[in-house]
Amino acid sequence: MESKDKIIHLKSGILDIWNESVFTHESSIKWFEDLQNILFEFFDIQQAKYFIYDAETFLQLSWNHSFTKKLNAIKWSEIETFFYDKDFIDVHTLQIKHSSNNDVALLLRDVELQPLGLIIMESTEKWKEFSQTPQLDEFMQTITKLVTTIKKSVFLTQQENQYRNLFNVTKMFNSTLDIGQILEGTLHSIQIAFPKFKSILILSNDQDRKTSAPYKLFDYTTERNTTVEAYVSGEITTELAQDLGVRLLNIPIVGKQGIYGILQISAPLDYLFSIRQKEFAILLAEAAGNALENAKLYIQSHRLVSDLQLINETSHKLNMNLSLDEMVIFLRNQLMKFFQPEHVGFVFIENDEYKISPASTELFHTMDGQLYIQYITNHFKTEKDSVFIADFNRLTDLKYEYRSLVAIPLKEQSNITGFSIIMHKEPYYFSFDNYKLMQSLIQHSSLAISNSNLRNKLQKMVDRDHLTNLFARNYLDRFVEKAMKTDDQGVFVLIDIDNFKRVNDTHGHQIGDEILKQIARVIQGMIKNKGISARWGGEELALYFSHMSLEQGIEMCEQLLMTIPQKTNPSVTVSIGVSNWQQSDDLSFNNLFHYADTVLYKAKNNGKNQLCVYKASHSS
């Protein structure tokens, strides 16, 4: 067949391929199989391969091309110089793997002379003969037009599928503010695009924990460098992860206000992601990022209202003149309700000693709880900042049961007066938003607790005699009046120091004050939890024993009568008056005091250093 006739038949066959491939939208390899038949028919060529040009690389065309391993890839940079002034060379010059030295390579270029594709085929006698004819250029032009058309057709088909996928998932994104649905939709869409590859979501630590979508939390210290780079830079990264046996594609999930995580796809090591595949993944991640951002803003706006209500409710309650214990219990309940930790504890600093509040949950009253308290105590000895630990086990070689921990100081002005500690077994349980709200809540509470402590101190100053540290008379009055309404019996005692004026005149008022303090210590040491003691006025002291019989009261007073002279310096004696009441008596506190006062003066008039007891029928 003459060369001219051959080129006409060649072009006719290629035109048939064009008609079939463009309008049937069959697989991207079918057209080349038809071309191989033509090459065999006209040139006896039995072996031929076609390489698609994408991302500066020639990739061998195969069935199910988008998802199979991309073998025999050829870098354009490695062969570019050989095609500087020609489009047809012997393969042995290129040193391409899995090709015979008798093969030839045909480079197809687009209108801008950029690589379009590469055909590597065996060089037969008929081909060698044809390649020396002027019709070679016409053949190359025809093949180039075919490949250009096929590429556009395949590109449009694949682009249509991608855009349909993107349209469907974006439509879903725009119809929901549920973070779980957005994450599930993202994974579903990427699975459609890459059905044979594994994909995971790596999200920052501010997600809604109620979502059912699978994801892992982003951790700077354990993530791979390329994953961190993508998260920090907002740019897509790839990595040949030899240790995992995969090629990783990291696509940042980017919104308008930040980066919310990474969409990571794992492919075989020898797979190369095309530019179009990367573009699709980027568009999907951006759509997901914007949807997540909108959902988060919606959730945050509602959460902000809830947070403000929480702070307002807590502040209002804490300013209701509650006792310190009531405040701490309420605050514990608020923390448990809104943040759902497993344990909440409160520790207060008193005279450089750390005391655990009874309102703390049970763990903090055990040895296991002491480990966490000691860690936080050591921190606040040198630092004043709050503690936010996402995974406690990453800070120590020991393995702790509770891994999420937040500790916030309680402050009075700039001084730390204690701290709260909130814990959960699950790592990364508390989000940064949780942490900031806890800080705000505790700071508001600190002022109320500080005011309560101040009220307690002021009340203590009112309730206590500053010299002896015994209760003041008003406090004892209130205590006895209340006890006589609820108890079944009690003993009231008045004590007067004998010849106290002579002590002051002889030794001075300073020694007189010291005598009062010495006697107060004797009384406090002896009665302990059996009753309360007060300075009644001047050199007079008073005691009250709840639920105590008269006989028991007399026994206590006799011990005091004997001990006080031994424990004072200079030694002094006392006179004591004792009265009692029982539930069957119709007796007021004024009567009880009057009876004790009456027998006290009887003791003094009878020679002092003795006790007298008032009885209903007579006094003795």
Side-chain angles (χ1 to χ4, degrees), residues 324-334 346 357-360:
L324 179 60
D325 289 341
E326 290 172 331
M327 283 186 181
V328 175
I329 290 172
F330 174 75
L331 187 55
R332 179 203 64 194
N333 293 341
Q334 291 291 83
F346 295 90
S357 168
S360 303

Side-chain angles (χ1 to χ4, degrees), residues 365-379:
H365 301 287
T366 67
M367 290 301 296
D368 289 340
Q370 292 295 320
L371 296 174
Y372 301 96
I373 289 176
Q374 189 59 52
Y375 181 89
I376 300 303
T377 298
N378 292 337
H379 169 84

Side-chain angles (χ1 to χ4, degrees), residues 13 237 319 340 358 366 517 551:
T237 63
N319 287 318
Q340 298 182 341
T366 67
K517 290 192 281 186
E551 291 74 18

